[in-house]
Amino acid sequence: MIAALGVDAGRPVSLDTLIRRLWDDNPPAQPRVSLHSYIARIRRRLRALDCGELLVQQAHAYTLDIRPEQVDCHRFHQLTATARSLSDSGDDQEALRVLRDADELRRGEPLTGLPGLWAERTRSVLEERQLSAQLIRIAIELRGGHFAEVVPDLATLLEEHPTDELLAGQLMTATYGCGRQADALRVYDTVRRRLLEDLGADPGETLTRLHGLILNGAPVHSLPPRTEPVVTGPQTLPSHAELVGREAELAVIVHNAVPLSTASPATRTVIALQTVSGMAGVGKSTIALHAARRLAPFFPEGAAYLDLQAHSPGQEPLAPEAALTSLIRAFGVPAADLPHDMDGLVSLWRSLLSNRRAVVVLDDAAGPQQLRPLLPGASPSLIIVTSRRRLTGLPGIRSIQLDVLPPKDAVALFRSVAGGDRTLQSGEVADIVRLAGYLPLAIELAAGRLASRPSWTTAHLLRRLTHGQGRLKEIRDGARGEIGMAFDISYRALTSEQQTVFRFLGLRFGPDVDTFGIAALTGLPQDTAEDALESLMDVHLIQEPVPERYTLHDLLGEYSRALAMAEETDSARDEAISRVIDFYLQASDVADRMIYPRSLRTDRPPPPARHSLPPWDDPLAARRWLLAERAALITAERHCRTTGRLHEAGVLAGALAAFLDDEGYSADAQRMHASAVQHWHTVGERQSEVHALIDLGNALSHCGRYDEALTALGQAHRAAADLDDAEAGAEALHQLGVLHWNTGQLTEALEFQLRTLRLRTASGDIWQISRSRNNLGITYLYLGRFQESQENFDLALTGFRRSADMREYAHVLNNLSDLHLHMGSTDSARKLLQEALATLKESGNPSERAITQVNLANTMASPRELVAMLDLYQQSLTTFRRLGDRRNASETLHAMGTALHAAGRFSEAAARHEHALELARSVGAAHEEAQALHSLGLAEHRLGQDRSAAAHITHAIEVADRIGAAREAAQARESLTAVHNAGEKARSTETE
């Protein structure tokens, strides 16, 4: 946080900017709360140092109220700029003195240890500044004739930047000055070869002239005293496919651009703007990038690339302000120097390019409005723009519209993808590329299809294209030209039912879907939908990432959505969405009843059976379906919640409550249940409100928001009493007992569990009585009342056996093993866990088996049994990762770290705890976060990193205090005291 504010010292930084800098695109559930917490802690530290109020809060922003020169990076930049000015004025000795002052501010890698994209970008900028300072110093040393002194530094820098001609020229000068002519010439040959291999370019004029002087044995003093940089700007062009054909179009771009590179300032009156337009898949980006690389020798002061994202799936086109910021930063301007208004950014961008010969590729532009602020004005630079639209109304524009490939080039592209040995029949290949419309993307798809099917021949592929559902043909759709000819060709070749399925795939809620979901979306019979999906698979319009689940490539998904919007009426789309929501309500309810047959339910009848459901043979199959559809179900609930379908949202939240609770998706669950509580309260459905309050309390508890959970469960208990709903009242008490156990309030937890048992005993429900007995066994265990714990566990085992619930029976065995461990009976604990594992193989799910394996590993002793422990942990971790269960993955990583710590492998232990911390934070699991922070601090302490250890343990205490976890907080305080005492002892020893 301090670093994020320090780079803008003296300037306000918005909360949104701080959130992005700290957490990228994955902030915690309440990022602003975390920010305010950090600010409060920093203020306390500053006050303790008598620094005053340096953190100033403004509307939605914070300012670190200090002068920029009080921050090392800004001071370094100022000193480097001063040194450059002194050097330019001829005062080299004073420039060296200033550079030494600047160098004293360096302390290793900038922002060491700070993660995230913002830190990486800032670190890169600061490292570029350090390189700039080194180059100034080296240039001064060369002018002073200190050749031998700078050769090692230059050799190292050129290894890191092998195509930097400025460094190459300096190293050639230095080695030649040492009398090593052959070494100087060898440097030139090496750089020339690298430039040719990497960039397809020859060395620039300045380096070539220097090479000639050295080759001819010119006196050292006649070499250029200040080698002008040939490449001073960014080199951010991405890698790309080889260009097949397009030589004529490429020649036009080069022909238009080369005269500009040598034009005098007086003739630069218009913007040099080359646009490349055409349909999707025609190769606009490829030719633009090839042109930029070929023109690099003529525009040696930078080659930059920016994706303007006009057609990036799921993203808005890049705003001009964001685009300018990215471009300016690419040219080395630090974030601290960026203007905070649009006019300032435009002015700075034009100033940067006013005398710079660079080439800038702006890819996938949305239109003139997005582009106008990005154009540099009169400049020797070249701007190449690609767009799916024809761009007009821009100054200095030169346009090329790409068409499909000529037949000869189309054949060459097909052969380059499919392989020469598979494409010997020239006539058949020519017919295939003709049927593909000579469109590069369509050709690549057809050739890739052949390459991926070893048994096929070109004749077989040709028959499929001419007679099957995948025939490609040339077609132009003016209304949707930007979507791409290849997709439209394939779409128009489909049957009506296949077209319907493809269109409605664009309305799906999740990343993938099964045939039953598609049948609901389209209103088609399930077997008809399945046949259509198989046909779409044959023509590569959809993919099957896992068996019987279907998805689309991002661009095809965009195309599918556009078709649905264009070819379906509003009412048809609404009906499709309503059908799939009805399907999800019905399927989720059935799956919930299969997996959790004894869960608390309202008197409301289940949703009507309107759709075909997957034929689940057992609860495990139903759970697999819920896992596969999780993202879609959560998105569907959010859609209902935000579009006025609050009844459906509430019903879906209730049906998913147990599943989301089991799988650790508590952050999603608490949002869903909070909305459900509000809705049921508004419409007066009191029983539904009580159940939603219980679900909300559980979700809040799992997020570590214990005070809010206590409020929700308390409301549920009181409302259940008003309704005389004994079952719901008992469940609320049960969860209140669990909540108090989680916060370390064991006496209160025991009281709630005893009250729950009395209610359930009165009801005579053996299963619920056994559930209460199990919880009492756990509570008595942690109270140290082992005899009572054993009695309750035994009664729970008997009850679950009588209820034929072997899954819960195994859960009790797990808990009973913990009791035996506490009593020092490790062997019996292991036997109980092995019995639990055997039971869960028949009745449990992979997650429960993995949890039991973790518990079994926990009974082992490290380091003696470390190998076996780590094997069990890794098996479980693999299961949790496959299921997307981050909470249990965090617990497993923590256990691995603890085992490694006990074996003295502290670095590995710290790494596991750090990963556990990351996962815990990602799901808002505060208890696991505190646990990981504490253990990470202990590992760091053993590694001698006491400052970091103290910080992590202090944070663990803060998290534990915040959630009311008294036991964890007390343990962490003991560890913090030990760390401080060890530090005091070490300092005392040093003093002695």
Side-chain angles (χ1 to χ4, degrees):
M1 170 72 93
I2 293 174
L5 291 167
V7 295
D8 284 309
R11 297 179 180 179
V13 184
S14 72
L15 296 182
D16 289 340
T17 297
L18 286 171
I19 289 168
R20 286 194 299 272
R21 289 180 180 180
L22 266 64
W23 295 294
D24 296 332
D25 294 326
N26 189 28
Q30 293 182 304
R32 296 192 176 211
V33 174
S34 296
L35 287 182
H36 297 320
S37 172
Y38 296 167
I39 289 291
R41 287 158 52 193
I42 294 170
R43 279 177 171 157
R44 287 198 298 271
R45 301 289 181 87
L46 292 174
R47 289 192 194 108
L49 296 169
D50 294 326
C51 293
E53 293 296 332
L54 298 183
L55 282 178
V56 180
Q57 184 171 4
Q58 296 157 295
H60 309 296
Y62 282 107
T63 301
L64 184 60
D65 191 15
I66 59 175
R67 299 186 308 279
E69 58 266 25
Q70 291 177 269
V71 180
D72 286 352
C73 68
H74 297 307
R75 176 70 175 152
F76 183 89
H77 186 49
Q78 291 170 354
L79 290 171
T80 303
T82 300
R84 183 182 291 108
S85 177
L86 288 167
S87 176
D88 290 343
S89 66
D91 193 350
D92 283 348
Q93 291 307 309
E94 183 62 16
L96 285 174
R97 186 193 64 78
V98 173
L99 286 172
R100 283 193 294 270
D101 290 344
D103 196 55
E104 289 178 0
L105 297 172
R106 295 170 53 188
R107 296 177 177 84
E109 180 187 60
L111 300 180
T112 301
L114 294 191
L117 295 177
W118 171 79
E120 287 181 15
R121 289 194 295 265
T122 304
R123 187 179 297 117
S124 177
V125 169
L126 296 178
E127 288 173 342
E128 286 295 326
R129 287 185 185 174
Q130 292 178 4
L131 175 60
S132 175
Q134 285 181 281
L135 294 178
I136 296 170
R137 177 184 63 80
I138 288 169
I140 294 172
E141 298 284 8
L142 287 175
R143 288 197 296 275
H146 305 140
F147 301 116
E149 290 88 338
V150 297
V151 167
D153 288 345
L154 282 169
T156 300
L157 290 172
L158 190 59
E159 285 182 7
E160 296 172 359
H161 308 277
T163 58
D164 190 315
E165 296 184 44
L166 170 60
L167 288 172
Q170 289 183 329
L171 182 56
M172 288 168 66
T173 301
T175 51
Y176 186 62
C178 294
R180 295 156 51 189
Q181 181 189 32
D183 288 342
L185 295 174
R186 192 174 296 111
V187 170
Y188 177 83
D189 287 338
T190 300
V191 172
R192 180 180 59 80
R193 187 168 57 254
R194 290 299 298 270
L195 285 168
L196 189 62
E197 292 173 354
D198 294 354
L199 305 177
D202 293 321
E205 179 184 347
T206 303
L207 195 65
T208 302
R209 184 162 62 89
L210 178 63
H211 172 258
L213 290 170
I214 294 174
L215 184 64
N216 293 320
V220 175
H221 62 78
S222 70
L223 300 184
R226 296 174 182 269
T227 306
E228 293 299 323
V230 178
V231 179
T232 60
Q235 297 295 327
T236 60
L237 299 181
S239 59
H240 49 81
E242 287 297 319
L243 188 67
V244 176
R246 302 296 192 200
E247 287 300 325
E249 295 92 337
L250 190 60
V252 170
I253 298 175
V254 173
H255 176 77
N256 290 339
V258 169
L260 168 73
S261 67
T262 57
S264 66
T267 62
R268 294 189 212 123
T269 58
V270 296
I271 300 166
L273 178 61
Q274 176 69 62
T275 68
V276 182
S277 61
M279 64 191 70
V282 81
K284 302 180 295 296
S285 301
T286 302
I287 194 171
L289 291 168
H290 271 275
R293 293 199 187 279
R294 183 167 298 188
L295 288 164
F298 302 98
F299 297 90
E301 296 181 72
Y305 171 88
L306 182 64
D307 182 2
L308 295 179
Q309 300 177 355
H311 301 91
S312 294
Q315 299 185 56
E316 293 294 324
L318 203 62
E321 184 174 1
L324 282 169
T325 299
S326 296
L327 288 168
I328 293 169
R329 291 295 305 280
F331 278 84
V333 177
D337 294 342
L338 290 178
H340 292 281
D341 60 286
M342 186 66 180
D343 289 342
L345 287 169
V346 171
S347 177
L348 177 57
W349 174 236
R350 291 177 177 173
S351 174
L352 277 174
L353 293 192
S354 61
N355 292 298
R356 187 188 299 264
R357 290 184 297 157
V359 59
V360 179
V361 178
L362 301 176
D363 197 17
D364 195 19
Q369 186 174 4
Q370 184 189 34
L371 278 173
R372 282 193 182 95
L374 311 184
L375 302 182
S379 166
S381 290
L382 171 66
I383 309 297
I384 302 178
V385 178
T386 75
S387 178
R388 294 184 184 181
R389 302 180 183 184
R390 188 188 304 272
L391 298 173
T392 58
L394 297 171
I397 191 170
R398 293 176 182 267
S399 298
I400 288 180
Q401 181 173 352
L402 290 188
D403 201 351
V404 296
L405 287 170
K408 181 180 178 181
D409 292 337
V411 168
L413 176 60
F414 185 88
R415 284 182 166 151
S416 72
V417 175
D421 59 335
R422 304 284 305 282
T423 56
L424 299 176
Q425 302 299 320
S426 299
E428 292 170 358
V429 172
D431 285 338
I432 290 170
V433 298
R434 176 179 56 80
L435 291 169
Y438 303 115
L439 185 68
L441 180 58
I443 294 165
E444 290 172 6
L445 287 173
R449 200 172 183 197
L450 178 65
S452 66
R453 290 166 168 78
S455 64
W456 284 18
T457 63
T458 50
H460 180 75
L461 176 59
L462 185 58
R463 282 195 299 273
R464 292 185 64 88
L465 293 174
T466 52
H467 299 93
Q469 296 297 328
R471 185 181 188 275
L472 299 174
K473 59 184 179 180
E474 188 173 359
I475 189 171
R476 182 177 178 84
D477 185 346
R480 294 187 303 278
E482 73 275 10
I483 299 301
M485 180 183 290
F487 307 146
D488 209 35
I489 291 171
S490 298
Y491 173 73
R492 297 301 173 190
L494 301 174
T495 67
S496 175
E497 284 179 344
Q498 292 161 5
Q499 288 181 348
T500 298
V501 170
F502 184 74
R503 282 197 307 275
F504 279 96
L505 271 168
L507 300 178
R508 71 197 189 282
F509 282 118
D512 51 34
V513 67
D514 64 7
T515 58
F516 299 92
I518 283 296
L521 260 176
T522 58
L524 295 170
Q526 190 269 330
D527 56 349
T528 303
E530 185 171 9
D531 289 343
L533 286 167
E534 289 296 326
S535 297
L536 292 175
M537 281 284 297
D538 289 341
V539 296
H540 293 280
L541 281 173
I542 64 173
Q543 301 165 348
E544 191 179 16
V546 296
E548 298 183 19
R549 295 200 64 82
Y550 304 94
T551 189
L552 299 94
H553 181 274
D554 286 343
L555 291 177
L556 281 167
E558 178 186 337
Y559 176 59
S560 173
R561 288 189 293 275
L563 285 172
M565 298 302 294
E567 300 189 7
E568 298 292 341
T569 64
D570 291 346
S571 61
R573 290 194 299 272
D574 288 342
E575 288 171 7
I577 295 297
S578 294
R579 285 193 301 267
V580 79
I581 287 172
D582 285 344
F583 166 71
Y584 281 142
L585 289 173
Q586 178 190 341
S588 298
D589 181 77
V590 173
D592 178 56
R593 292 173 187 273
M594 285 186 71
I595 302 168
Y596 311 101
R598 294 181 172 88
S599 287
L600 185 66
R601 289 187 172 82
T602 64
D603 297 331
R604 183 191 312 108
R610 299 173 182 167
H611 306 281
S612 299
L613 296 183
W616 302 314
D617 295 327
D618 52 40
L620 183 57
R623 180 180 291 275
R624 280 197 293 265
W625 181 85
L626 286 174
L627 286 166
E629 294 283 358
R630 178 188 60 82
L633 292 166
I634 291 173
T635 303
E637 186 277 337
R638 183 169 60 247
H639 173 84
C640 292
R641 182 170 12 113
T642 56
T643 58
R645 301 171 184 255
L646 296 176
H647 178 84
E648 290 96 331
V651 173
L652 192 54
L656 296 175
F659 166 73
L660 294 175
D661 182 62
D662 254 9
E663 299 300 327
Y665 295 104
S666 305
D668 291 314
Q670 63 93 8
R671 286 190 288 270
M672 294 164 63
H673 299 318
S675 173
V677 167
Q678 181 64 43
H679 170 67
W680 298 130
H681 179 79
T682 300
V683 300
E685 291 198 27
R686 297 295 306 283
Q687 187 187 45
S688 296
E689 181 186 357
V690 170
H691 291 192
L693 279 166
I694 293 172
D695 293 335
L696 176 60
N698 289 340
L700 288 167
S701 178
H702 286 148
C703 289
R705 296 164 62 177
Y706 293 134
D707 290 341
E708 296 169 78
L710 184 62
T711 299
L713 292 171
Q715 290 175 351
H717 182 246
R718 290 189 292 274
D722 293 341
L723 293 174
D724 197 24
D725 187 338
E727 187 180 7
E731 185 61 27
L733 282 174
H734 179 104
Q735 298 302 338
L736 281 165
V738 173
L739 173 61
H740 283 81
W741 185 87
N742 283 332
T743 58
Q745 298 170 283
L746 298 179
T747 303
E748 293 84 350
L750 179 62
E751 177 58 30
F752 279 113
Q753 295 296 353
L754 289 171
R755 289 171 62 187
T756 305
L757 179 61
R758 285 194 290 271
L759 287 174
R760 286 176 171 166
T761 301
S763 74
D765 188 326
I766 294 174
W767 186 86
Q768 290 287 12
I769 292 170
S770 301
R771 192 163 163 243
S772 290
R773 290 289 186 188
N774 184 37
N775 273 18
L776 278 168
I778 297 169
T779 307
Y780 279 127
L781 164 60
Y782 280 85
L783 284 168
R785 296 161 63 173
F786 295 158
Q787 181 62 37
E788 290 153 297
S789 176
Q790 178 78 54
E791 291 171 358
N792 278 280
F793 282 141
D794 288 343
L795 290 169
L797 287 173
T798 301
F800 284 131
R801 193 184 298 111
R802 286 180 58 191
S803 302
D805 191 334
M806 300 310 293
R807 180 169 172 257
E808 288 296 335
Y809 181 88
H811 294 169
V812 180
L813 290 174
N814 253 307
N815 295 329
L816 187 57
S817 73
D818 199 15
L819 170 63
H820 283 237
L821 279 177
H822 276 75
M823 293 191 300
S825 182
T826 303
D827 289 343
S828 61
R830 289 190 188 183
K831 289 177 181 177
L832 289 165
L833 288 168
Q834 288 162 353
E835 182 184 352
L837 268 177
T839 303
L840 289 171
K841 284 181 180 178
E842 301 295 329
S843 59
N845 58 52
S847 177
E848 291 168 327
R849 290 195 292 273
I851 291 170
T852 306
Q853 285 185 158
V854 171
N855 292 337
L856 180 58
N858 290 342
T859 67
M860 300 178 181
S862 177
R864 179 168 50 85
E865 298 175 284
L866 181 62
V867 173
M869 294 173 75
L870 293 178
D871 184 54
L872 285 169
Y873 288 139
Q874 190 58 54
Q875 290 177 38
S876 298
L877 187 61
T878 300
T879 298
F880 295 137
R881 284 173 172 164
R882 177 169 53 82
L883 297 175
D885 186 344
R886 295 187 177 189
R887 181 192 297 275
N888 274 314
S890 175
E891 289 274 13
T892 305
L893 284 162
H894 171 74
M896 293 175 79
T898 302
L900 289 163
H901 188 113
R905 292 161 61 172
F906 303 119
S907 293
E908 296 171 79
R912 299 305 192 285
H913 292 310
E914 196 163 9
H915 193 183
L917 175 62
E918 176 188 339
L919 292 177
R921 285 174 169 168
S922 72
V923 295
H927 186 274
E928 286 77 4
E929 179 184 359
Q931 176 179 264
L933 282 165
H934 184 186
S935 296
L936 175 58
L938 291 175
E940 289 173 332
H941 172 54
R942 296 302 297 268
L943 290 168
Q945 302 167 5
D946 282 352
R947 179 175 297 180
S948 179
H952 281 123
I953 297 173
T954 300
H955 195 182
I957 294 168
E958 293 169 358
V959 174
D961 283 341
R962 171 167 56 82
I963 64 177
R967 183 169 64 250
E968 286 77 5
Q971 291 170 347
R973 284 190 172 89
E974 289 178 8
S975 297
L976 184 61
T977 300
V979 170
H980 286 323
N981 289 342
E984 290 294 333
K985 183 177 180 181
R987 284 190 289 273
S988 174
T989 302
E990 289 174 4
T991 302
E992 292 171 4

